[in-house]
Amino acid sequence: MSEVTELLAGLRSGALGLDEVVARFRQRSWPAPPPPGRRTAADPAETTPGSFEEVVLAYARRDITDEQYAALLEAARSAGRPEQEPPGR
């Protein structure tokens, strides 16, 4: 079980809140997306462990809501980016 799978399971069960999972998604490093032409998350056997594909698959199974998916997507997109400095610095 990957970290992503564990976080999603915690979110589904209520053991973890969305804010906590979002924070963890922002802190982790994500594998590169699959090469063009590869089916993304259509088949769990083709899903890269620890990748955002696991989130896409969970969303397709309706294990997470639209709101949760959107928040997790934004968190993964911003992962590894330094926080913006306030204007004037």
Side-chain angles (χ1 to χ4, degrees), residues 38-84:
R38 180 173 155 206
R39 291 187 325 207
T40 303
D43 179 358
E46 293 184 18
T47 303
T48 304
S51 72
F52 197 81
E53 291 173 301
E54 290 184 301
V55 179
V56 173
L57 188 59
Y59 183 65
R61 288 189 311 254
R62 298 180 190 239
D63 290 344
I64 58 175
T65 66
D66 293 347
E67 176 189 1
Q68 291 168 331
Y69 179 81
L72 297 174
L73 177 60
E74 181 56 35
R77 283 182 176 162
S78 66
R81 291 186 197 158
E83 294 295 321
Q84 284 188 321

Side-chain angles (χ1 to χ4, degrees), residues 22-23 26-27 75 78-86 89:
V22 163
R26 285 188 177 129
Q27 294 170 350
S78 66
R81 291 186 197 158
E83 294 295 321
Q84 284 188 321
E85 290 186 19
R89 284 197 175 183

